[in-house]
């Protein structure tokens, strides 16, 4: 595994190769990231993983500061996985140039997380656009855990006619049901139990809603989540996962999208 901290050295190395499969991360690696990397390795191109905690996608400085970082441990794991390249850029390597393509921000960026984290998706698209320009990957691997992000990156790539294929990867969960997330490492044992109970409550609710749509009563669900130990609910909405419109009938393929807090830790999922 070769490690690069500078894009020019990275580019010299990778532009000779046949194509890159790219797995962008913010580090704090867990089973979700590892499944993306394992999928990437199946594609027979060279696998490049990046670790960059992107300050522009955090709407609160305190959240950026407390975001879990574990680079030495991450490097050990990536070596074991035998990836080809690891890119750990500094801020200026990413933001010290003007990208050729402008970011396309679909109007769906105003919904769900976009409503509660001002500037978040602008920051995500900005960094992804820059990474794509630096690396020119053939494939990019993204998790369905961050479904709205995945959708918005897809729209950007389509609109700007970028020749990178998105490979959508399923959400990996812990044994207790909760989606693997770097942020989980900030949760206490008791808070993990709360998150697990919320997951089981919501997956049970989804099954019931499929049979009887009238059960989707936001105020009642919100109260139940608070009773289970959530501190605050940002949103709980059901969206059709193809059209990304509000699901109106149980026959549609929908997911429950949720963002909630346990104390000051914000968790998102779609079930
Ligand atoms: P992050 O490091 O949180 O920015 O995530 C990097 C990539 O890993 C994104 O494409 C995420 O959607 C994906 N990812 C994060 N958690 C999971 C998970 N539990 N299952 C699958 N993919 C995930």
């Amino acid at each position: 595994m070769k490690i690069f901290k500078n894009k020019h050295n990275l580019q010299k190395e990778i532009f000779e190769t046949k194509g890159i499969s790219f797995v962008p991360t913010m580090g704090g690696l867990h089973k979700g990231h590892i499944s993306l990397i394992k999928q990437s390795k199946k594609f027979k191109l060279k696998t490049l993983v990046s670790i960059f905690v992107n300050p522009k996608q955090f709407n609160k400085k305190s959240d950026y500061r407390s975001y879990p970082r574990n680079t030495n441990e991450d490097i050990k794991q990536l070596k074991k996985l035998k990836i080809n390249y690891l890119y750990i850029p500094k801020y200026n390597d990413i933001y010290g140039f003007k990208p050729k393509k402008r970011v396309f921000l679909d109007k769906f960026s105003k919904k769900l997380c976009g409503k509660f984290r001002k500037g978040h998706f602008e920051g995500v698209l900005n960094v992804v656009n820059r990474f794509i320009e630096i690396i020119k990957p053939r494939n990019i691997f993204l998790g369905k855990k961050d479904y709205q992000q995945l959708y918005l990156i897809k729209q950007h790539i389509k609109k700007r006619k970028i020749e990178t294929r998105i490979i959508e990867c399923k959400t990996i969960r812990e044994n207790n049901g909760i989606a693997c997330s770097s942020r989980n490492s900030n949760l206490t044992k008791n808070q993990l139990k709360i998150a697990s109970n919320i997951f089981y409550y919501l997956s049970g609710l989804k099954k019931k809603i499929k049979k009887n749509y009238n059960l989707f009563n936001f105020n009642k669900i919100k109260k139940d989540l608070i009773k289970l130990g959530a501190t605050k609910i940002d949103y709980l909405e059901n969206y059709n996962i193809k059209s990304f419109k509000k699901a109106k009938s149980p026959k549609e393929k929908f997911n429950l999208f949720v963002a909630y807090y346990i104390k000051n830790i914000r968790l998102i999922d779609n079930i």
Side-chain angles (χ1 to χ4, degrees), residues 23-36 50 52 57 67 141-147 149-150 153 169-174 178-184:
V23 185
T25 83
M26 297 209 295
L29 299 185
H30 52 66
K31 286 189 287 182
H33 297 119
I34 289 168
S35 88
L36 265 56
S50 66
F52 181 60
Q57 71 186 68
Y67 193 83
F141 293 75
L142 300 169
K144 289 186 186 175
K145 148 88 173 27
D146 301 285
Y147 212 99
Q149 166 177 292
L150 168 65
I153 296 174
C169 305
K170 71 169 190 203
T171 300
I172 304 297
R173 297 183 178 278
E174 303 289 355
I178 64 177
C180 301
S181 164
S182 308
R183 290 177 190 273
N184 293 350

Side-chain angles (χ1 to χ4, degrees), residues 14 17-24 36-50 83-85 135-141 164-165 167:
I14 62 177
T17 66
K18 270 203 206 121
I20 293 289
S21 279
F22 175 42
V23 185
L36 265 56
I37 293 167
K38 288 195 169 154
Q39 289 223 45
S40 162
K41 290 191 65 178
K42 285 190 197 146
F43 276 68
K44 307 283 180 227
L45 301 175
K46 298 261 161 111
T47 290
L48 188 162
V49 175
S50 66
I83 64 156
N84 302 96
Y85 307 119
I135 297 163
K136 303 193 183 2
R138 183 98 57 86
N139 302 315
I140 182 166
F141 293 75
T164 295
R165 183 158 62 131
I167 313 292

Side-chain angles (χ1 to χ4, degrees), residues 105-221:
L105 202 60
D106 186 272
K107 62 179 187 313
F108 195 68
S109 61
K110 301 282 176 279
K111 307 271 189 209
L112 301 175
C113 281
K115 220 188 305 178
F116 293 89
R117 297 185 74 190
K118 293 276 171 261
H120 170 63
F121 288 121
E122 283 86 340
V124 170
L125 268 298
N126 190 349
V127 79
V128 168
N129 188 41
R130 285 163 185 274
F131 268 120
I132 289 177
E133 251 176 64
I134 293 170
I135 297 163
K136 303 193 183 2
R138 183 98 57 86
N139 302 315
I140 182 166
F141 293 75
L142 300 169
K144 289 186 186 175
K145 148 88 173 27
D146 301 285
Y147 212 99
Q148 188 177 14
Q149 166 177 292
L150 168 65
Y151 177 82
L152 294 172
I153 296 174
K154 224 189 288 185
Q155 298 306 99
H156 167 70
I157 285 189
K158 207 159 124 194
K159 188 85 176 177
R160 296 290 179 246
K161 301 190 172 65
I162 296 170
E163 286 175 8
T164 295
R165 183 158 62 131
I166 293 185
I167 313 292
E168 300 182 11
C169 305
K170 71 169 190 203
T171 300
I172 304 297
R173 297 183 178 278
E174 303 289 355
N175 290 337
N176 62 7
I178 64 177
C180 301
S181 164
S182 308
R183 290 177 190 273
N184 293 350
S185 66
N186 286 340
L187 295 170
T188 64
K189 226 173 164 188
N190 187 40
Q191 290 170 334
L192 283 169
K193 185 80 192 122
I194 293 172
S196 169
N197 289 342
I198 288 179
F199 166 75
Y200 285 114
Y201 169 85
L202 290 175
S203 43
L205 179 75
K206 183 178 173 183
K207 281 187 197 129
K208 285 187 212 152
I209 291 174
K210 275 189 168 171
K211 288 194 189 119
N212 178 1
Y213 213 59
N214 295 330
L215 289 173
F216 192 84
N217 174 338
F218 180 66
N219 287 331
K220 154 95 173 64
I221 301 168

